[in-house]
Amino acid sequence: MRQAMIFAAGLGTRLKPLTDTMPKALVPVGGQPLLYHVVMRLKEAGFERIVVNVHHFADQIIDYLKVNENFGLDIRISDEREQLLETGGGIKKAMPLFDPNSPILIHNVDILSNLDLRRLPMDAPLLVVSQRQTKRYLLFDDDMRLQGWTNIETGELKGPVADTHLSPLKKLAFSGIHVFHPSLTPLLGEWQDRFPIMDFYLKACATHLIKGYEATDLRLLDVGKLDTLDQAEKFITNI
């Protein structure tokens, strides 16, 4: 089974005042909500089951999916109205809603890209990365195995590289798209209910293979701020 999770529980503070009355997932781009664009990309790529986590204006998202009859898919809701669990906690809470033997493609609701999701390898834990400028990079060895994370502005290091000082390492930017593989599921029990998924990966990569997938010719837009909405309108017409 091809299954995916859309992170849609965030408060969307960078998109205020729009998110004072609606969740980020329903902010319109090109006449359709962000959630619509991500769901359609997943559907076109053959994903059958999608879990959407909700918190901020959760009922609006639930009603939107109901009115649209879940777009003909098996869409399930992971309800975080009681507590926002961050990305790692969100995956942990949603696990009972998935087929435990199949990998899960995780996709942020505010990420638009030209990535061909049909060709994405899903046979191991995977982080989709690219060559683009940012302050924070994931670090990979020559085999594209995750070794750590760095903030080049502050010099902060996390992960195995912080202890071993492996060098040189490839610095690549995370895309907000990744594959959570069943091989990592037992490790979730070591974590509390609320935690970032990247902290999880940076600990797990010391003992488990977590690969990077460098998407060539990747065009990606993080629709996280008001000034990116105009760009998003043009972006979706060209992907």
Side-chain angles (χ1 to χ4, degrees):
M1 170 182 288
R2 286 175 70 78
Q3 55 186 1
M5 181 172 186
I6 301 175
F7 284 149
L11 299 176
T13 52
R14 295 181 298 163
L15 283 172
K16 283 179 172 289
L18 293 176
T19 48
D20 288 336
T21 56
M22 70 174 71
K24 176 169 59 176
L26 297 187
V27 169
V29 171
Q32 296 285 359
L34 284 167
L35 180 60
Y36 170 87
H37 295 293
V38 178
V39 168
M40 287 300 103
R41 292 294 308 284
L42 291 169
K43 184 174 183 177
E44 290 165 6
F47 287 86
E48 306 158 81
R49 178 179 298 173
I50 300 174
V51 172
V52 180
N53 69 340
V54 296
H55 173 81
H56 185 56
F57 291 115
D59 288 338
Q60 290 188 29
I61 295 175
I62 293 168
D63 291 345
Y64 172 76
L65 292 169
K66 184 177 181 180
V67 165
N68 287 281
E69 298 180 331
N70 288 337
F71 299 98
L73 298 168
D74 176 7
I75 296 185
R76 305 176 176 196
I77 296 295
S78 182
D79 195 331
E80 296 181 25
R81 277 178 284 197
E82 190 173 304
Q83 181 187 18
L84 190 58
L85 298 174
E86 297 192 52
T87 49
I91 293 173
K92 182 179 179 180
K93 179 179 175 62
M95 288 306 292
L97 300 173
F98 290 109
D99 173 355
N101 301 310
S102 299
I104 306 163
L105 175 68
I106 312 291
H107 201 301
N108 290 359
V109 77
D110 55 2
I111 293 294
L112 301 175
S113 81
N114 66 342
L115 182 68
D116 188 346
L117 299 176
R118 293 167 297 183
R119 296 186 178 183
L120 198 62
M122 296 187 66
D123 56 352
L126 191 75
L127 308 177
V128 179
V129 291
S130 64
Q131 294 274 1
R132 59 186 174 87
Q133 289 190 337
T134 181
K135 296 176 184 177
R136 302 170 184 85
Y137 289 95
L138 294 173
L139 304 173
F140 298 90
D141 63 20
D142 289 339
D143 295 321
M144 286 299 288
R145 181 171 184 155
L146 180 65
Q147 297 291 344
W149 171 97
T150 187
N151 182 322
I152 60 171
E153 204 169 66
T154 65
E156 182 183 5
L157 286 171
K158 293 182 180 179
V161 69
D163 299 320
T164 61
H165 303 291
L166 294 173
S167 62
L169 294 170
K170 297 177 183 177
K171 296 184 180 72
L172 294 165
F174 182 49
S175 69
I177 303 169
H178 48 113
V179 174
F180 188 90
H181 193 265
S183 61
L184 297 181
T185 302
L187 302 182
L188 289 172
E190 303 171 11
W191 293 75
Q192 299 298 317
D193 291 341
R194 188 173 185 267
F195 61 95
I197 192 59
M198 196 53 66
D199 286 357
F200 173 89
Y201 285 141
L202 291 170
K203 181 180 179 183
C205 72
T207 55
H208 289 66
L209 173 66
I210 298 177
K211 299 280 285 186
Y213 176 81
E214 186 175 358
T216 56
D217 301 318
L218 177 67
R219 291 189 295 114
L220 180 145
L221 183 64
D222 179 352
V223 191
K225 298 179 181 178
L226 288 173
D227 60 7
T228 59
L229 287 177
D230 286 340
Q231 298 174 46
E233 300 271 353
K234 299 173 183 176
F235 189 92
I236 60 170
T237 63
N238 294 301
I239 60 173

